[in-house]
Amino acid sequence: MATMKDVAKKAGVAVGTVSRFVNNKGGIKESTRKKVEKAIAELNFQPNEAARNFKTQQSKTIALIIPTIWHPFYSEFAYHVEREFSQKGYKTLLCNSQNDAEREINYITMLEKNKIDGIVAITYSKVIDQYISSTLPLVSIDRHFTEDVVTISSDNYAGGQLAAQVLVDRGCQHCAYMGSVSEIENESMLRSKGFQEYLEKQRTKTTFLILNEPVEDLEREIRQFLDVHPYIDGVFAMNDKWAAIVMNVLKEMGRQVPEDVQVIGYDGARMSKDALLTHSTIRQPIEEMAKRSVTELLNIIAGSKVNSKVVLPVNYFEGNSTKKP
Amino acid sequence: MATMKDVAKKAGVAVGTVSRFVNNKGGIKESTRKKVEKAIAELNFQPNEAARNFKTQQSKTIALIIPTIWHPFYSEFAYHVEREFSQKGYKTLLCNSQNDAEREINYITMLEKNKIDGIVAITYSKVIDQYISSTLPLVSIDRHFTEDVVTISSDNYAGGQLAAQVLVDRGCQHCAYMGSVSEIENESMLRSKGFQEYLEKQRTKTTFLILNEPVEDLEREIRQFLDVHPYIDGVFAMNDKWAAIVMNVLKEMGRQVPEDVQVIGYDGARMSKDALLTHSTIRQPIEEMAKRSVTELLNIIAGSKVNSKVVLPVNYFEGNSTKKP
């Protein structure tokens, strides 16, 4: 028996558009309407009245897939996503995938079966690519998939440039970038690119510590790197977790932050709404990214026009790990 | 038209029991089976075949109601709850209630309509009492409702005693408890009770700072209290957030932790799986509480025997805010 998904595929439209057609929601272009009607006739699609009603009552649910909710960035992001969906009348299913592709595919299957209406995903697992397509109502954070999948990220390149600019302005003579890379390409790799290109233009010396995921003993790697390059007086860490570890290692080595070495992180997530950031960092607009994810996903579901790539501006937070200007 | 809920009410059994009966799942006592059969006959209950099948596919969903996911305790708890439900084949709906009773009631209504199978709730809102009953598959954390509602908490009383014992053992002569109270009674109030009773037995001097929620300017209140009682050399704070604020105020006052004042918090939640605790605290068994919530809720849904009150043991974490023994 043909499903709405089959009709959508045959008509070359989003599932949401077929749903709007079937439920007489309007707002569909005449040319689109004809395509859907044709596909319905050809497939002999019969919207099951009972199931449809049941669905109309039951749906309005989206899934939020994140590696783990037990992490400040993801919990802050999830907080805003759930609040925003709730205001739009949607319930949010939580999935701590821990990058387990099987769990992620499980939710994509639910989506294909119309058990949920859409997915907001932060995923770094490998095999997921083949399951993602632009016909699915899915918004991806940071990771750009092939095809026309909607991706939302902060301006990682500008963030890297901003970190470099601050370190140079505050007197650093020899900067370092510290971060890891995995097989899965994602937007966050632009952080080191922006950092490097800014410093090249400034002719400021830069050294890189790039480790492959998974990293075995990060503290030891950082300590060795700082031992070999004792002249480093400014560090841009790939995220705040790395920044915290760098500051710990420096403390153990008897080097003062920010007097001897200035450190800037990335993310700016706080562990709770009333917590304060202490160290200097490039802040991602987490609330804005969450709200935009919701807007874009609801646009896909409604069959409206969407932006396939949304890049949101970052800003610098002045903490206690850089010298005052 | 009669629903499973109506049948459950009439038969005086859990909705889960009626569901098991209708779906021929077995495991129902003969006497219970008779009650259900009688109620079905009297109400002329007709399980809708289509809806039932749909439900069988669609359900297996529970709701997790917490004040906010953007907080280490709740995100650690939610992480384990979702992981555990997932392993049992259940999906988890996330609700950041922010103590908005309307949102909480919304989920209770979903439960009554069988759109979800159960609720795990951490709630401090006022009007919720009248909506909660022991016939609903609901597990409450920390807050004890009237009737026979399942409550899970850490051993707050023993935690208070343990904090007092550590402070006395480490040489404190004059201890203080600092915390707030709200109109909603919950198990966490036993922390101060355990603390007080231990110190009374030891004839150790104790002073209390108890503020009414909502607290306007906590820093100022704590500073005033410490100004008025300069001899205090040990503080037990109601939770880790308070402990952090107490330590900040002490630092601003030029008093050393733990040399001048020792501080112990409560909770022991970490902001992520690989984060470390730094200060001394009474650790709630968060993973165990989450897993037990899942077990007890699934028992209610299955119509099995449940414990109406589960109290799990706490332990002391030796951090840098107390003197070494």
Side-chain angles (χ1 to χ4, degrees), chain A residues 41-84:
Chain A
E42 284 176 20
L43 292 167
N44 191 25
F45 171 67
Q46 309 261 349
N48 180 314
E49 195 74 27
R52 205 179 72 205
N53 288 340
F54 208 83
K55 170 99 174 82
T56 312
Q57 291 165 36
Q58 284 269 337
S59 67
K60 291 252 166 188
T61 301
I62 66 98
L64 172 65
I65 299 177
I66 49 177
T68 171
I69 192 69
W70 188 8
H71 181 289
F73 183 84
Y74 301 123
S75 70
E76 182 168 345
F77 181 77
Y79 170 82
H80 291 297
V81 164
E82 192 276 336
R83 292 295 295 170
E84 195 71 9

Side-chain angles (χ1 to χ4, degrees), chain B residues 156-158 160 186-195 309:
Chain B
N156 291 281
Y157 183 83
N186 70 68
E187 298 290 309
S188 69
M189 290 170 190
L190 292 171
R191 292 171 199 173
S192 60
K193 191 159 180 265
F195 187 71
K309 190 163 181 174

Side-chain angles (χ1 to χ4, degrees), chain B residues 52-71:
Chain B
R52 203 179 75 203
N53 288 340
F54 210 96
K55 168 98 175 86
T56 312
Q57 291 164 34
Q58 283 270 340
S59 68
K60 291 250 167 190
T61 301
I62 66 97
L64 171 65
I65 300 177
I66 48 178
T68 170
I69 192 70
W70 188 8
H71 181 289

Side-chain angles (χ1 to χ4, degrees), chain A residues 114-162:
Chain A
N114 288 319
K115 288 185 182 179
I116 53 175
D117 299 340
I119 294 176
V120 172
I122 306 184
T123 162
Y124 305 105
S125 61
K126 282 184 216 168
V127 299
I128 202 83
D129 288 74
Q130 63 204 87
Y131 294 88
I132 306 279
S133 76
S134 61
T135 57
L136 286 177
L138 181 143
V139 168
S140 166
I141 311 300
D142 275 346
R143 179 162 168 205
H144 202 65
F145 289 95
T146 44
E147 296 191 64
D148 212 19
V149 175
V150 176
T151 309
I152 292 173
S153 66
S154 68
D155 194 339
N156 291 282
Y157 183 83
Q161 290 207 306
L162 187 51

